Amino acid sequence: EQLMTKDLPALAQSMDKPFVFALAKGRGRYVCKLKLERLVGNGGVAEDLFDADNDAPKPAKFGTVVSQEEAEERRIHLYETMASMLAASSWDGDRDSLSDAPDARDWSTVAAERHTCTVRHCPRFRDCSYYEARARLAEANVIVANHDLVLASLGMKTLPELDNCLVIFDEGHHLPAVALDQFSSAMDMSNLRWLDKLPKILQEVSSALQLHIGEDVATVTSQLKQALTQLARMAMDMVWAQTGQNAQGEGQDGTLRFAHGVLPEALTETVTQIQAQATGLSKALEALGVEVKAIAKEDPAQATQCAQQYAKLGGLVPRLGAIVSTASLLLEHGEQPLAKWLQAESEHGYLTMTAHACPIVPGDLLRQFLWSQVRGAVVTSASLTSCGSFDYFLHEAGLINNPNVQALEVASPFDYARQGVLTVVHTRADPKQADSYTREMVAELMRDLEHVRRGALVLFTSRAQMRVATEALPGHLMDMVLVQGTQSRARLLGSHMARVEAGFPSVIFGMQSFGEGLDLPGPLCETVFITKLPFAPPSEPVDEARAEWLRSVGRDPFNELVIPATGIKLLQWTGRAIRTEDDHAAVICYDKRLVLQSYGRRMLAGLPPYRVEQRKA
């Protein structure tokens, strides 16, 4: 957003030779006009709406629950409104340009997805919102895209080939996490009603176009559903056995990670069956899709029908694909283990059981799939260094020991020693003693908030910690505190700015997402309060699996991963304080480990050179 609305227009204006820039988004951000027309024609009802897998009330914005009737009315109104705006050329089909963001379930039904698109054989191809946007990309000298899209598009022809352009990764410290996310896989073993519809849909499509399905789809689908149900039961028993719960117990949420990435023998046979059955169905689905596209190509008169039938098939592809890829990864055993885990989550009385698998070393993935493709790349971020060194990022990004890599740390234009002060508060309680530390820290925070005259930001390491602080607010401070999650981010920041501009004190209570990418210059943020060093919770399955593997090969995950990762977060959090050459701000950290522990001093050495002061609680 900043690049498109501020930075690139300013750059284009200052250059003698003009250039064209455009924003690239995934297909799912654009409406499929053919799907929308079909839905409006059906009164808003989709015959193959797989997302309606259960009849539970659907949560709306801010946790309220709407009835089925209300959801149906909202959906019909949304589709009719979108169709009208498209007809009047007052909307370009981009989800992000709608004045009100649609519900994710409603949008997914009309989104333009690769698996449901016949491309040039679609009767709406010439005025397709997505392909019109793609045409604009073809004319651009500079294309802006997020990291997810770049990695997801490798080899897909969506973006220019990486050996034919210069790639600039801004906020590049996110690349390793995005790589892990892109190459992870998960399958849902609970909501399986879509499998009941699969044979019927394949039969409908083949009958409509007089095609033949070779596979005994009904039998294989029944066997797959049976195997998934069996796996879900075994998974539930395992998760509940670990957490000490039972099927009748409350709070059935839980995660079970398989040590050293080894799938238990009890599950191996069932997962092997699932992989084989899902692979067979996936191939049958793919073969039928190829035939449908061939008919559309050979007989344009049937293009509309073919596009609609192909869209029916396409709704099944991601779900079957997730089962195939997850089962394959669960069965994979290599020299470097994968993170593999089961997860049980309950919401609105419904229990969802999922299986997950994910690589644990992002650098290997980036080296193989990204850096081997690029002609030239620049990676930038204010937090590529941790504890004063590039080593952690270079390892995580798969660039360590690459002879073509050069690292450059550019000096800041800010005079931190003059413009800011970092105060470390020494509490009596050890930060590792969560309850007593939080009580003491919150009491200190309340006293410090009394001195806020304009804007301030308080960053918490957990929702529970933020809740304790919110509940401790005295009456006269309540009106000046805005808490993350009580309203949208944009509205909360708007309220904060309005208060400060009107001369009133305003304090934002936020967590990790407010510790990065938040620009509150001058009086909008004169103090940043850091309630605790931002160590990631040690319960993330991928982090646990990686630490386990490092220990097994004689390495120290705390020094190698935890400290530098926390150092980067701390650098980001303190970076909210001084945003311009004219700012003067204070950072107050209540965690004495920053100056007392050797790892804390490592992190401190990687922070800007603030004037450091200490005080006792």
Side-chain angles (χ1 to χ4, degrees):
E1 193 172 278
Q2 181 182 322
L3 284 165
M4 290 297 295
T5 61
K6 182 181 175 184
D7 299 340
L8 286 170
L11 180 61
Q13 199 169 15
S14 69
M15 292 180 69
D16 296 332
K17 187 178 179 181
F19 65 90
V20 179
F21 55 91
L23 179 64
K25 303 181 186 182
R27 285 176 190 258
R29 307 307 295 181
Y30 298 92
V31 74
C32 171
K33 294 181 178 179
L34 199 69
K35 287 182 185 177
L36 182 63
E37 287 167 4
R38 184 168 167 235
L39 280 167
V40 171
N42 287 352
V45 179
E47 300 161 22
D48 48 342
L49 183 60
F50 299 116
D51 283 330
D53 273 341
N54 60 57
D55 298 320
K58 300 292 187 277
K61 289 180 183 176
F62 303 118
T64 58
V65 175
V66 297
S67 68
Q68 288 292 323
E69 292 77 14
E70 289 173 315
E72 193 64 35
E73 284 181 22
R74 179 192 65 201
R75 191 179 298 125
I76 293 170
H77 176 70
L78 171 68
Y79 296 152
E80 289 177 345
T81 302
M82 289 195 298
S84 298
M85 289 193 298
L86 284 171
S89 299
S90 59
W91 179 48
D92 60 0
D94 181 345
R95 173 180 177 166
D96 300 314
S97 60
L98 289 169
S99 54
D100 292 317
D103 179 88
R105 290 180 180 86
D106 297 342
W107 177 261
S108 66
T109 314
V110 294
E113 298 291 355
R114 179 169 60 91
H115 300 297
T116 62
C117 179
T118 55
V119 195
R120 297 183 183 280
H121 310 312
C122 174
R124 299 306 304 268
F125 175 73
R126 290 184 181 280
D127 62 342
C128 172
S129 301
Y130 170 66
Y131 280 103
E132 285 178 348
R134 280 279 297 272
R136 290 192 291 273
L137 292 185
E139 299 167 359
N141 306 107
V142 177
I143 295 174
V144 179
N146 63 28
H147 297 176
D148 285 285
L149 183 61
V150 173
L151 294 189
S153 301
L154 293 174
M156 302 283 291
K157 308 289 186 187
T158 306
L159 297 173
E161 295 295 331
L162 296 187
D163 63 353
N164 196 33
C165 53
L166 172 65
V167 189
I168 302 171
F169 289 106
D170 191 20
E171 302 297 349
H173 61 280
H174 286 302
L175 264 178
V178 174
L180 287 180
D181 188 54
Q182 280 294 330
F183 291 94
S184 65
S185 192
M187 66 179 178
D188 187 348
M189 300 175 285
S190 309
N191 300 318
L192 301 178
R193 284 180 58 186
W194 66 276
L195 277 172
D196 296 330
K197 301 172 185 177
L198 187 150
K200 181 186 173 189
I201 289 171
L202 265 64
Q203 189 58 52
E204 283 178 357
V205 172
S206 59
S207 298
L209 298 171
Q210 298 180 333
L211 297 169
H212 174 67
I213 309 172
E215 186 88 29
D216 184 358
V217 170
T219 301
V220 179
T221 303
S222 175
Q223 291 170 343
L224 175 59
K225 184 179 179 183
Q226 191 177 347
L228 284 165
T229 303
Q230 181 183 346
L231 183 63
R233 287 199 194 99
M234 290 190 288
M236 285 177 195
D237 290 341
M238 287 181 168
V239 172
W240 287 329
Q242 179 199 246
T243 56
Q245 299 170 350
N246 56 57
Q248 286 73 43
E250 291 297 319
Q252 297 166 339
D253 294 15
T255 300
L256 171 62
R257 184 183 62 83
F258 301 126
H260 305 289
V262 178
L263 193 69
E265 283 187 28
L267 303 182
T268 302
E269 184 180 346
T270 307
V271 174
T272 303
Q273 290 174 5
I274 288 169
Q275 183 199 30
Q277 291 153 353
T279 300
L281 289 172
S282 189
K283 287 180 178 176
L285 191 64
E286 184 182 353
L288 187 56
V290 168
E291 291 190 73
V292 172
K293 288 178 83 170
I295 292 173
K297 182 179 180 180
E298 293 164 9
D299 185 2
Q302 295 194 66
T304 299
Q305 185 186 18
C306 286
Q308 290 175 345
Q309 300 300 333
Y310 192 81
K312 281 186 182 181
L313 297 177
L316 300 163
V317 172
R319 296 193 178 220
L320 269 180
I323 294 174
V324 172
S325 61
T326 307
S328 300
L329 287 177
L330 288 173
L331 294 169
E332 183 180 311
H333 295 287
E335 185 179 331
Q336 187 184 96
L338 296 168
K340 301 173 186 177
W341 70 98
L342 303 171
Q343 193 158 359
E345 293 179 292
S346 53
E347 186 178 9
H348 303 300
Y350 285 82
L351 182 68
T352 302
M353 180 61 66
T354 50
H356 303 255
C358 179
I360 60 173
V361 181
D364 292 350
L365 299 169
L366 289 167
R367 190 162 41 242
Q368 180 180 351
F369 296 103
L370 178 64
W371 306 128
S372 63
Q373 309 287 324
V374 299
R375 180 179 184 175
V378 176
V379 185
T380 70
S381 172
S383 44
L384 287 184
T385 58
S386 176
C387 306
S389 166
F390 282 101
D391 287 354
Y392 173 69
F393 173 76
L394 293 175
H395 274 285
E396 289 295 281
L399 293 171
I400 197 74
N401 299 326
N402 185 321
N404 297 310
V405 171
Q406 291 179 294
L408 173 67
E409 187 170 7
V410 181
S412 171
F414 307 146
D415 184 350
Y416 286 101
R418 180 183 61 82
Q419 292 179 249
V421 58
L422 169 60
T423 301
V424 181
V425 179
H426 289 252
T427 57
R428 291 182 299 279
D430 190 305
K432 291 181 180 178
Q433 301 167 326
D435 292 341
S436 54
Y437 171 77
T438 298
R439 281 195 300 273
E440 190 178 352
M441 177 275 294
V442 166
E444 283 293 308
L445 174 64
M446 294 302 125
R447 282 192 282 273
D448 287 335
L449 290 181
E450 298 280 359
H451 302 293
V452 172
R453 294 292 172 261
R454 295 198 283 186
L457 174 66
V458 184
L459 292 169
F460 295 91
T461 56
S462 72
R463 198 169 295 279
Q465 193 189 52
M466 187 166 73
R467 184 169 56 248
V468 171
T470 304
E471 291 170 353
L473 285 167
H476 67 284
L477 291 182
M478 280 185 178
D479 288 343
M480 65 185 263
V481 174
L482 296 158
V483 182
Q484 179 183 356
T486 55
Q487 53 186 307
S488 72
R489 180 184 173 106
R491 193 175 298 173
L492 186 147
L493 293 175
S495 300
H496 176 74
M497 292 175 190
R499 285 186 192 181
V500 174
E501 286 170 5
F504 297 105
S506 181
V507 180
I508 296 173
F509 277 14
M511 296 194 301
Q512 173 58 36
S513 61
F514 276 68
E516 180 180 358
L518 188 64
D519 190 23
L520 295 172
L524 294 176
C525 186
E526 293 183 331
T527 312
V528 174
F529 299 96
I530 296 174
T531 58
K532 201 174 187 179
L533 290 179
F535 288 104
S539 57
E540 288 295 323
V542 178
D543 295 335
E544 280 185 345
R546 191 169 179 193
E548 178 182 69
W549 172 65
L550 287 173
R551 283 191 293 269
S552 74
V553 294
R555 290 157 66 181
D556 180 0
F558 185 71
N559 276 308
E560 199 169 317
L561 297 179
V562 176
I563 292 172
T566 307
I568 284 180
K569 276 190 188 174
L570 190 63
L571 180 59
Q572 292 162 352
W573 284 23
T574 58
R576 299 313 100 208
I578 293 176
R579 308 298 298 171
T580 75
E581 289 91 334
D582 301 320
D583 284 357
H584 286 81
V587 177
I588 298 177
C589 176
Y590 297 97
D591 196 328
K592 59 187 177 183
R593 293 176 295 181
L594 186 60
V595 291
L596 295 184
Q597 297 290 342
S598 59
Y599 61 77
R601 292 193 291 274
R602 270 180 67 189
M603 296 181 201
L604 186 60
L607 297 181
Y610 291 106
R611 188 171 76 256
V612 178
E613 297 179 355
Q614 301 182 49
R615 81 169 199 233
K616 289 185 178 180

Short mmCIF file of all heavy atoms in Angstrom, two decimals, residues 206 243 301 306 438 525 587:
data_model
loop_
_atom_site.label_atom_id
_atom_site.label_comp_id
_atom_site.label_asym_id
_atom_site.label_seq_id
_atom_site.Cartn_x
_atom_site.Cartn_y
_atom_site.Cartn_z
N SER A 206 -19.74 -35.63 -16.15
CA SER A 206 -19.52 -36.59 -17.23
C SER A 206 -20.81 -36.82 -18.03
O SER A 206 -20.76 -36.92 -19.27
CB SER A 206 -19.01 -37.92 -16.68
OG SER A 206 -19.92 -38.46 -15.75
N THR A 243 -3.37 -34.95 26.54
CA THR A 243 -3.82 -33.79 27.33
C THR A 243 -4.66 -34.18 28.54
O THR A 243 -5.11 -33.31 29.28
CB THR A 243 -4.64 -32.83 26.44
OG1 THR A 243 -5.73 -33.56 25.85
CG2 THR A 243 -3.77 -32.27 25.33
N ALA A 301 -19.44 -23.42 -28.95
CA ALA A 301 -20.85 -23.32 -28.58
C ALA A 301 -21.10 -23.91 -27.20
O ALA A 301 -22.09 -23.57 -26.53
CB ALA A 301 -21.72 -24.04 -29.62
N CYS A 306 -19.18 -25.85 -20.50
CA CYS A 306 -17.91 -26.44 -20.09
C CYS A 306 -17.28 -25.67 -18.93
O CYS A 306 -16.77 -26.27 -17.98
CB CYS A 306 -16.94 -26.49 -21.27
SG CYS A 306 -17.34 -27.76 -22.49
N THR A 438 4.05 -10.60 36.20
CA THR A 438 2.99 -9.83 35.52
C THR A 438 2.33 -8.86 36.49
O THR A 438 2.07 -7.70 36.14
CB THR A 438 1.94 -10.77 34.90
OG1 THR A 438 2.58 -11.59 33.91
CG2 THR A 438 0.82 -9.98 34.25
N CYS A 525 3.49 8.74 19.12
CA CYS A 525 4.10 7.69 19.94
C CYS A 525 5.38 8.24 20.57
O CYS A 525 6.47 8.11 20.00
CB CYS A 525 4.40 6.44 19.11
SG CYS A 525 5.01 5.07 20.11
N VAL A 587 11.83 4.52 25.40
CA VAL A 587 11.46 3.10 25.42
C VAL A 587 11.64 2.62 26.85
O VAL A 587 12.70 2.80 27.44
CB VAL A 587 12.35 2.26 24.47
CG1 VAL A 587 11.98 0.78 24.57
CG2 VAL A 587 12.20 2.74 23.03
#
